[in-house]
């Protein structure tokens, strides 16, 4: 095992370079190894920033934990035509309006494709009380989730959903270690938007993660399932002038951090 102080310094240099680059806007980063010697490196991890679609992971946790307690039926069927429309691409448009899917499947659509109408239905099924209770139970002390994913809420109102990198890491670790949340890990490892954290990694390195995007906001959070070491990563940003470029930079710094950690684990 390489010297932990040396590893920490090398990772910190990568994070600082990403977070403080010229014109970077606001960038918050938190990296933690989940097995082996615990290593945590952060920059601005306590900054409260818009969560965007990272909040859909909270919906998934709230749904499956409510079902685990017997409060919800995940197999209740929902008619596709009864779901709200959207101006954005939706996987639900491939289905006949008279066909039905389960609430469980809608949660899957919300996490595999980030589908907004599916997420809105899950949110309605849960209700604000269950969502707030989940936020409290998981210990997301600086997270607020008052808005949903309807067309009306995807502009300025959507920025009311806020969190910190510390809270998102706590959520990621909760999903990672909780047996009855295995379906969420399955959905998220099949997430179709594989830019950001996974984009520069080898194809045989799975990553379960969820991105979040609004104008000027480029977020990602999840776990790199490298065979040498599982690594949790959270990136929150605000004030980005080029979302595409920021997404590329997240991929670049993620690849460098993973290489530093896994090469250190081999020595």
């Amino acid at each position: 095992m390489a010297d932990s102080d040396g590893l920490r310094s090398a990772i910190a240099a990568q994070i600082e370079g990403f977070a403080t680059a010229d014109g970077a806007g606001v960038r918050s980063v938190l990296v933690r190894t989940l097995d082996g010697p615990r290593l945590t490196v952060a920059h601005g991890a306590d900054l409260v920033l818009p969560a965007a679609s990272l909040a859909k992971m909270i919906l998934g946790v709230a749904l499956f934990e409510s079902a685990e307690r017997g409060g919800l039926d995940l197999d209740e069927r929902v008619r596709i035509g009864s779901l709200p429309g959207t101006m954005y691409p939706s996987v639900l448009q491939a289905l006949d309006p008279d066909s039905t899917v389960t609430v469980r499947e809608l949660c899957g659509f919300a996490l595999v494709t980030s589908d907004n109408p599916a997420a809105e239905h899950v949110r309605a099924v849960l209700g604000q009380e269950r969502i707030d209770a989940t936020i409290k139970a998981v210990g997301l002390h600086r997270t607020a989730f008052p808005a949903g994913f309807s067309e009306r809420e995807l502009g300025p109102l959507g920025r009311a959903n806020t969190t910190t990198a510390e809270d998102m890491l706590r959520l990621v670790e909760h999903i990672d270690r909780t047996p009855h949340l295995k379906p969420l890990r399955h959905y998220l490892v099949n997430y179709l938007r594989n830019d950001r954290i996974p984009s520069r990694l080898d194809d045989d390195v799975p990553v379960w993660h969820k991105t979040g995007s609004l104008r000027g906001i480029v977020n990602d959070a999840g776990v790199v399932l490298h065979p040498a070491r599982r690594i949790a990563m959270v990136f929150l940003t605000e004030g980005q002038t080029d979302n595409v470029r920021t997404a590329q930079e997240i991929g670049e710094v993620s690849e460098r951090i993973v290489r530093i950690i896994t090469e250190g684990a081999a020595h």
Side-chain angles (χ1 to χ4, degrees):
M1 173 65 65
D3 174 71
S4 60
D5 289 339
L7 281 178
R8 184 174 285 102
S9 296
I11 297 165
Q14 294 297 328
I15 290 174
E16 290 297 313
F18 167 79
T20 64
D22 290 343
V26 179
R27 295 180 175 181
S28 172
V29 184
L30 185 50
V31 174
R32 175 174 292 164
T33 54
L34 296 182
D35 41 31
R38 180 59 63 97
L39 184 68
T40 303
V41 187
H43 174 94
D46 60 347
L47 293 174
V48 178
L49 295 170
S53 283
L54 294 189
K56 289 170 182 169
M57 290 194 291
I58 298 174
L59 291 180
V61 172
L63 186 73
F64 274 82
E65 296 200 335
S66 295
E68 181 75 7
R69 293 190 297 269
L72 287 176
D73 179 9
L74 295 181
D75 295 317
E76 178 185 351
R77 302 202 70 84
V78 181
R79 181 177 170 273
I80 292 296
S82 71
L83 298 173
T86 177
M87 63 180 286
Y88 298 100
S90 169
V91 67
L92 302 178
Q93 294 300 313
L95 304 177
D96 188 281
D98 289 326
S99 63
T100 63
V101 294
T102 64
V103 172
R104 184 195 313 271
E105 289 166 335
L106 285 175
C107 180
F109 287 138
L111 294 179
V112 173
T113 73
S114 205
D115 191 272
N116 286 330
E120 266 298 275
H121 186 82
V122 171
R123 181 170 175 261
V125 166
L126 284 165
Q128 193 65 41
E129 185 176 340
R130 285 193 182 101
I131 294 170
D132 290 342
T134 297
I135 289 171
K136 182 177 180 179
V138 179
L140 311 183
H141 303 300
R142 304 187 71 190
T143 294
F145 191 179
F149 302 96
S150 66
E151 306 290 89
R152 182 180 65 84
E153 295 168 300
L154 292 179
L157 286 176
R159 295 171 188 262
N161 294 333
T162 55
T163 191
T164 66
E166 290 174 342
D167 277 6
M168 279 297 104
L169 180 65
R170 198 168 289 116
L171 180 68
V172 163
E173 289 185 304
H174 181 70
I175 294 171
D176 181 70
R177 67 173 178 258
T178 304
H180 63 259
L181 296 181
K182 182 179 179 181
L184 300 188
R185 299 192 293 274
H186 175 69
Y187 298 149
L188 292 166
V189 81
N190 286 288
Y191 185 46
L192 294 183
R193 300 184 182 185
N194 265 343
D195 62 346
R196 304 178 203 185
I197 291 172
S199 62
R200 297 298 185 103
L201 301 179
D202 292 340
D203 290 342
D204 60 352
V205 177
V207 179
W208 72 253
H209 72 122
K210 181 74 188 70
T211 65
S213 304
L214 292 167
R215 185 179 297 277
I217 293 168
V218 186
N219 297 341
D220 202 3
V223 178
V224 177
L225 303 172
H226 195 282
R229 183 70 56 80
R230 294 180 310 131
I231 307 161
M233 293 185 173
V234 179
F235 293 88
L236 302 180
T237 72
E238 190 172 26
Q240 305 304 293
T241 58
D242 185 339
N243 278 27
V244 173
R245 181 57 195 153
T246 299
Q248 292 172 341
E249 291 174 357
I250 290 173
E252 291 164 0
V253 72
S254 296
E255 188 276 333
R256 292 193 293 268
I257 290 169
V258 169
R259 180 157 31 88
I260 289 167
I261 292 172
T262 56
E263 288 179 357
H267 293 88

